[in-house]
Amino acid sequence: MKKLNQTELLDQRIAELTLQHNQELVELKQQFHAVKNSMSPTNIVQQGLNGFYQTFVNKENLMSTILSIIGGYVSKKVVIGKSDSSIKKIIGNVLQFFVTSYLTKKNTKTQTE
């Protein structure tokens, strides 16, 4: 068997690394598209509605869910009030989301104990 010289070894290694790079690029593109599709507004809304539907189907959590939603809404109104500022509205929506999530988790923990 013929011994490969340094140039041939280098060319072979470059070819291997190029192939590996191309494979990793294809995988990265696939992951990017999967994340992009999961973060689309329609999927986010659909996941949120599915979560609410599952909660409403489970009659045990119905009252706690309603109270959590009301608690989030009231906290938004108390902190932000009536405002025409877009930034305050966004902050209010984020606050409402976190308060609702917190109250839901707290009520779920107390019901399971």
Side-chain angles (χ1 to χ4, degrees):
M1 192 166 159
K2 181 181 171 188
K3 188 175 181 180
L4 299 176
N5 64 19
Q6 293 296 325
T7 306
E8 291 171 341
L9 287 173
L10 184 60
D11 289 339
Q12 183 181 12
R13 184 67 180 142
I14 289 172
E16 291 172 0
L17 288 174
T18 304
L19 180 64
Q20 179 184 358
H21 176 265
N22 290 337
Q23 290 173 344
E24 289 175 354
L25 184 62
V26 168
E27 291 174 7
L28 185 62
K29 285 181 180 180
Q30 290 173 345
Q31 290 175 353
F32 172 76
H33 289 296
V35 169
K36 186 177 93 173
N37 289 336
S38 70
M39 295 301 291
S40 70
T42 55
N43 282 342
I44 292 172
V45 169
Q46 184 178 12
Q47 290 172 355
L49 291 176
N50 284 340
F52 277 117
Y53 175 74
Q54 293 299 326
T55 303
F56 284 121
V57 168
N58 188 356
K59 300 294 182 190
E60 295 172 0
N61 293 335
L62 181 62
M63 191 62 174
S64 66
T65 301
I66 291 172
L67 291 175
S68 298
I69 293 170
I70 291 171
Y73 180 76
V74 168
S75 66
K76 174 184 169 183
K77 287 298 179 183
V78 167
V79 172
I80 303 301
K82 282 189 173 182
S83 177
D84 292 331
S85 172
S86 298
I87 294 173
K88 283 187 177 183
K89 287 181 182 179
I90 291 171
I91 291 170
N93 288 334
V94 170
L95 175 70
Q96 180 178 355
F97 173 77
F98 283 118
V99 169
T100 302
S101 297
Y102 173 75
L103 291 174
T104 302
K105 288 178 186 176
K106 187 173 181 179
N107 285 335
T108 304
K109 285 182 183 177
T110 58
Q111 286 180 357
T112 56
E113 292 175 351

